[in-house]
Amino acid sequence: MGDSRASTAGPGAAERARSVLAVAWSCAVTVDGGREELVGAHTVTGDGRVILHAPADSVLRAAVICAPRGEPCAVLEFADVAPVAQRNRIRARLWLAGSFAAEADRLAFRATRAVLRGPSGAEAVDLDAFTAAAPDPLAAAEARLLTHLADAHPDAVERLTRLVEPARLHAATRVVPLALDRYGLTLRIERGRRHGDVRLPFHRPADDLGQLTERVHALLTRAATAACPRALQRQRADGDG
């Protein structure tokens, strides 16, 4: 159910990959010398290069020093984690294969291959598109916005379920916000030991927080005029969290 005029567009693979890269707080690095988990140690340049500030005694630094031409092949893995507690919080994973080069006291990684795995499976990301893409304009604020929606406005979340086909709410025990981008809001519907996701598209993309406020209000206005589905069961779903 929903407005047939609503935009069904969504971010492309390159934009989604850049969004994951922009907000991930940690990454796992695999090189010939082993695997290392780094937290809060990377930044991203405008063209998608990953700059790592690895400890001096790290496996990674040793691999760079010992590798021929100082450019070891490596794989970086980033996880996109839903900010609101729910089942299966990993929304996507991004793998970047490429090589490192030492730059002063940091390591610069340039990807030669990118793979993004989401709910519909894994797909290769075109590198030219990846380099040219920018993260979703709401990516940096998404965690704060979704957490606020879930904690301060559960009534709004329940109201938005009026825009969901009743069949998809059958036996639902809980509905929580899963994801937000400039094209729409995604809700997770939990039931028993299973769950499903439903996307509520905005009528137009939102390129900033002001536009986002208008888009969400438009969704809530539509929901207010929609038929109310059967009330959700209130018991806690098995395995919540």
Side-chain angles (χ1 to χ4, degrees):
M1 214 165 38
D3 188 342
S4 61
R5 297 169 298 174
S7 169
T8 58
E15 184 177 340
R16 285 185 283 127
R18 290 297 298 269
S19 297
V20 172
L21 192 58
V23 301
W25 180 242
S26 64
C27 70
V29 185
T30 302
V31 291
D32 289 342
R35 180 180 171 91
E36 190 164 10
E37 301 278 347
L38 298 175
V39 178
H42 76 275
T43 56
V44 184
T45 65
D47 62 357
R49 287 186 308 139
V50 180
I51 307 300
L52 282 175
H53 302 272
D57 59 350
S58 70
V59 170
L60 179 56
R61 279 196 177 275
V64 171
I65 293 172
C66 297
R69 297 185 304 279
E71 296 185 0
C73 293
V75 175
L76 274 58
E77 179 182 344
F78 301 87
D80 176 27
V81 183
V84 178
Q86 56 197 273
R87 296 181 189 153
N88 297 343
R89 291 181 69 175
I90 303 297
R91 302 181 298 190
R93 291 187 185 276
L94 173 67
W95 290 274
L96 300 178
S99 60
F100 278 106
E103 294 184 357
D105 61 344
R106 63 185 194 174
L107 303 175
F109 177 88
R110 184 176 292 279
T112 55
R113 179 174 170 78
V115 176
L116 180 68
R117 176 180 288 278
S120 58
E123 59 182 313
V125 181
D126 179 83
L127 280 181
D128 289 337
F130 176 80
T131 299
D136 185 274
L138 304 177
E142 184 201 21
R144 172 174 56 83
L145 294 169
L146 289 184
T147 301
H148 178 75
L149 179 61
D151 293 345
H153 302 286
D155 55 327
V157 175
E158 185 161 353
R159 197 181 320 155
L160 288 171
T161 63
R162 297 185 180 190
L163 300 176
V164 179
E165 294 179 3
R168 303 192 68 172
L169 291 170
H170 177 69
T173 57
R174 191 170 75 130
V175 178
V176 293
L178 170 68
L180 174 71
D181 57 59
R182 61 176 167 154
Y183 296 101
L185 172 68
T186 301
L187 301 178
R188 170 150 291 174
I189 302 169
E190 297 183 348
R191 57 179 73 81
R193 296 184 179 277
R194 299 179 297 113
H195 65 266
D197 303 332
V198 62
R199 187 170 176 82
L200 304 179
F202 300 143
H203 62 280
R204 270 189 214 93
D207 293 326
D208 56 42
L209 294 181
Q211 292 181 6
L212 174 65
T213 299
E214 188 277 330
R215 304 302 186 262
V216 173
H217 283 170
L219 284 180
L220 290 170
T221 298
R222 284 173 47 210
T225 62
C228 184
R230 183 176 179 180
L232 296 176
Q233 300 175 37
R234 297 300 183 181
Q235 70 267 29
R236 180 180 176 84
D238 292 343
D240 281 353

